[in-house]
Amino acid sequence: MRISTLAPHSSHSSDTATAPLIRVSEVTKQFQLDDGREIQALRDMSLELGQSEFVALLGPSGCGKSTILRLVASLESPTSGLVEVNGRPPAELARQHRLGVAFQDHALLPWLDVAANVALPYKVAGLPVDGKRVSELIRLVGLAGFERARPKQLSGGMRQRVAIARALILAPDVLLLDEPFGALDAVTRRQMNIELQRIWSEQRITTLLVTHAVDEALFLADRIIVLSGRPGRVIRTLEVPFARPRHADIMRSEAFHRLCDELTDALETPVEDTL
Amino acid sequence: MSGVLSERIRTLLLGSLGVGMFLGLWEVVGQLRLLGLSWPPLTEVLALLGTPARWSLFGRALGASLEALTVGYLIGLICGIIAAALAHLTPSLKPGLDRTSAVIHAIPSIALAPLFILFLGRNATPAALAALSVFFVIYVATSSGLSSVPRPLQDLVHVLGGTRLTQFVRLDLPAALPVLASGMRLAAPAALIGVIVGEWFGAPRGLGVLVINAMQNFQIPLLWSAVLLAVLVSLTLFGLLGLFQHYVARCFR
């Protein structure tokens, strides 16, 4: 991973107690298309996540929100700017097996059963499989009894539960969720949000969630960052006022609906007006 | 469910009907000598195959061909898998290996056989030609199987901190198995062709030798018996490897 240190404030000597866990600073990301044209996915993007913070990136499709997540996951490197986790390049965190991820595509291995899929991070890390923890997590995501089932035998929601369990199995420092429930129907999605909220409130792993669903961001996150269309820029930041653990009832409250409307309005604001 | 079943039965019935009609036609053409003496009736060929006095002859030929087939098949299989894995793991080798295997495949094995006779001798040529045909099929199947892993799975192993080798062992290899199994099935008839062509060029014994000798001595029913044996070997291998492919596909897809 290439890191170009631009800003003087990005030195590693800052006090780690107050420093953010994840720092994306002045990142620009360009992609080259097959026909040679260049697309700017992100321009001068900066954001920070504190320890044990749950941040949602909310934006229309094509705003580069997934690119931010892929940068933090070390799946992409920035064209310019700096991405750090705990003051180190994110690839280091991945190499130390301290990253948990769940994508929109559940990315389960079709030839492994549920238990083996959840245990995969142990195998990849070359660690002995902790069978007790595997069954604990399967129970946590509500799949007890399905340990021996293959992914193709499960519903879409159940597959995402497996993916969530797999993301949590090594108790990672950082959890990255890229529209994990994006392919699910509205009812299942809501149910999964409620369960993810419950699980997260128990573990409080620093989490970056990418979503285009306003209610999902509002129900799950401590802070919501709203991005504009391409190239993605921050147009609004919202501190979510609801206390944890959150009950599903808050989704019916007036405050929730008001914030939903506000965020939806922010999403719909034409980019030119925000310049 | 019953719709699927009746569809299957229908396919099976129509298939057997087709094979039956072909065998019937064979018998009729032979009995009436429609195509002269060189086309014997099916019953005559089967009767010869069923003659105990001939079994040792057929057995020796079959044994020699199966041995060459097994040796050639295994060599081609192992070399094909190793070459494809090498090309997959070292991208700089891939274009070269792709092209080399395509060139090898483009040379008709019948043109290579005399060279093999000179270099390897009469005994080893059938197995060598079989290995060559198998190599190409297995190389192509394994290559495409190894690169069939969906992007999200690769990303996952990368984010989990997996090395290139971890990805190869945990993802690429298992994902390649179904394609490899279907390649193994297709390679079996190709291997038999290699063996028989190799035997034509003067192996001491084998089905190909039996075919050539019977043809030169105008032993028409014997010629057809040997051909029929070769067909049976080919179909049996194809069927067995088909079952294997089915099993692998169920486990790894």
Side-chain angles (χ1 to χ4, degrees):
Chain A
M1 168 127 206
R2 280 194 317 276
I3 301 290
S4 48
T5 31
L6 292 175
H9 64 256
S10 64
S11 70
H12 296 167
S13 58
S14 55
D15 182 8
T16 45
T18 56
L21 184 70
I22 300 175
R23 173 187 281 162
V24 173
S25 104
E26 293 171 39
V27 162
T28 297
K29 177 68 187 172
Q30 281 175 340
F31 287 104
Q32 185 126 34
L33 296 182
D34 288 340
D35 58 7
R37 280 184 303 145
E38 288 213 327
I39 279 200
Q40 198 162 47
L42 295 171
R43 189 195 300 162
D44 292 330
M45 169 66 62
S46 295
L47 56 93
E48 290 178 348
L49 265 77
Q51 182 79 47
S52 296
E53 198 182 9
F54 194 132
V55 171
L57 289 175
L58 186 65
S61 50
C63 71
K65 55 190 191 298
S66 289
T67 305
I68 297 175
L69 186 130
R70 290 178 66 83
L71 286 164
V72 178
S74 79
L75 288 168
E76 308 277 358
S77 11
T79 309
S80 71
L82 179 73
V83 180
E84 284 181 333
V85 180
N86 226 344
R88 311 291 304 155
E92 217 163 282
L93 196 74
R95 268 201 300 278
Q96 294 164 346
H97 320 291
R98 282 156 57 201
L99 255 179
V101 280
F103 305 113
Q104 177 169 356
D105 180 308
H106 52 77
L108 298 180
L109 275 54
W111 52 85
L112 298 181
D113 61 20
V114 167
N117 263 296
V118 173
L120 181 73
Y122 282 117
K123 299 274 178 92
V124 170
L127 298 169
V129 175
D130 181 348
K132 227 181 92 208
R133 178 155 171 85
V134 170
S135 38
E136 242 169 51
L137 266 164
I138 291 175
R139 205 169 40 244
L140 184 70
V141 297
L143 283 178
F146 287 94
E147 286 83 358
R148 297 271 85 88
R150 294 284 203 87
K152 63 185 162 197
Q153 296 168 307
L154 303 177
S155 68
M158 291 161 98
R159 288 177 198 164
Q160 287 302 347
R161 288 165 196 261
V162 180
I164 299 279
R166 181 180 61 192
L168 295 170
I169 189 83
L170 292 182
D173 292 357
V174 172
L175 185 61
L176 302 173
L177 304 172
D178 190 357
E179 305 205 27
F181 312 129
L184 302 182
D185 62 272
V187 177
T188 314
R189 179 178 195 137
R190 193 184 146 94
Q191 203 183 335
M192 294 296 293
N193 281 336
I194 294 167
E195 296 203 20
L196 180 60
Q197 200 285 138
R198 170 180 62 84
I199 293 166
W200 191 85
S201 296
E202 284 173 22
Q203 319 216 343
R204 302 213 174 224
I205 297 167
T206 310
T207 300
L208 184 60
L209 167 75
V210 161
T211 183
H212 59 251
V214 173
D215 54 341
E216 182 169 279
L218 209 46
F219 183 65
L220 289 173
D222 298 319
R223 189 152 55 94
I224 298 175
I225 298 172
V226 185
L227 301 179
S228 69
R230 193 164 42 227
R233 268 162 303 148
V234 177
I235 51 178
R236 194 156 170 204
T237 303
L238 175 88
E239 299 284 341
V240 179
F242 308 115
R244 288 186 194 272
R246 293 173 185 166
H247 192 265
D249 283 349
I250 64 159
M251 286 193 260
R252 297 209 184 83
S253 70
E254 205 189 315
F256 192 89
H257 286 298
R258 191 171 38 75
L259 288 172
C260 252
D261 291 343
E262 257 185 67
L263 289 170
T264 311
D265 284 347
L267 275 175
E268 282 169 356
T269 311
V271 179
E272 287 76 21
D273 294 355
T274 62
L275 283 173
Chain B
M1 204 60 198
S2 71
V4 176
L5 200 68
S6 70
E7 181 65 28
R8 249 189 211 173
I9 291 172
R10 223 172 84 91
T11 315
L12 202 69
L13 274 177
L14 281 175
S16 329
L17 194 69
V19 173
M21 274 168 67
F22 170 74
L23 294 178
L25 198 68
W26 178 347
E27 179 69 17
V28 170
V29 170
Q31 289 291 354
L32 300 179
R33 298 268 178 257
L34 290 179
L35 290 172
L37 283 176
S38 52
W39 188 293
L42 176 62
T43 42
E44 205 180 314
V45 177
L46 290 177
L48 188 75
L49 273 177
T51 312
R54 297 280 192 168
W55 285 354
S56 73
L57 176 71
F58 289 134
R60 269 203 312 274
L62 198 61
S65 290
L66 283 179
E67 191 192 322
L69 184 77
T70 309
V71 171
Y73 188 90
L74 288 179
I75 291 175
L77 180 70
I78 292 166
C79 292
I81 292 173
I82 289 176
L86 218 60
H88 184 72
L89 288 173
T90 21
S92 55
L93 281 180
K94 189 164 171 55
L97 276 167
D98 279 357
R99 221 149 292 164
T100 308
S101 64
V103 165
I104 290 174
H105 182 64
I107 307 170
S109 52
I110 203 149
L112 276 179
L115 289 173
F116 276 44
I117 295 278
L118 285 178
F119 286 122
L120 301 172
R122 295 175 186 286
N123 285 312
T125 297
L129 286 179
L132 213 57
S133 318
V134 172
F135 171 81
F136 180 74
V137 180
I138 296 298
Y139 178 81
V140 170
T142 311
S143 290
S144 83
L146 284 174
S147 46
S148 71
V149 177
R151 196 57 207 254
L153 292 187
Q154 296 180 14
D155 285 352
L156 175 81
V157 170
H158 178 89
V159 173
L160 290 176
T163 58
R164 190 76 191 80
L165 192 68
T166 319
Q167 193 195 316
F168 183 72
V169 174
R170 300 267 165 217
L171 284 186
D172 301 351
L173 222 47
L177 286 179
V179 194
L180 173 60
S182 89
M184 285 173 68
R185 182 191 197 186
L186 292 175
L192 190 64
I193 293 174
V195 166
I196 289 177
V197 168
E199 287 170 350
W200 282 354
F201 282 82
R205 61 179 72 84
L207 285 177
V209 181
L210 202 59
V211 167
I212 286 283
N213 286 346
M215 186 188 75
Q216 282 166 349
N217 300 326
F218 212 67
Q219 294 167 292
I220 298 302
L222 184 64
L223 168 62
W224 282 80
S225 305
V227 171
L228 200 62
L229 268 181
V231 171
L232 288 177
V233 167
S234 183
L235 285 180
T236 308
L237 284 174
F238 199 66
L240 287 177
L241 287 165
L243 288 179
F244 175 67
Q245 181 197 355
H246 227 75
Y247 170 78
V248 171
R250 225 186 39 215
C251 290
F252 287 91
R253 274 214 169 114

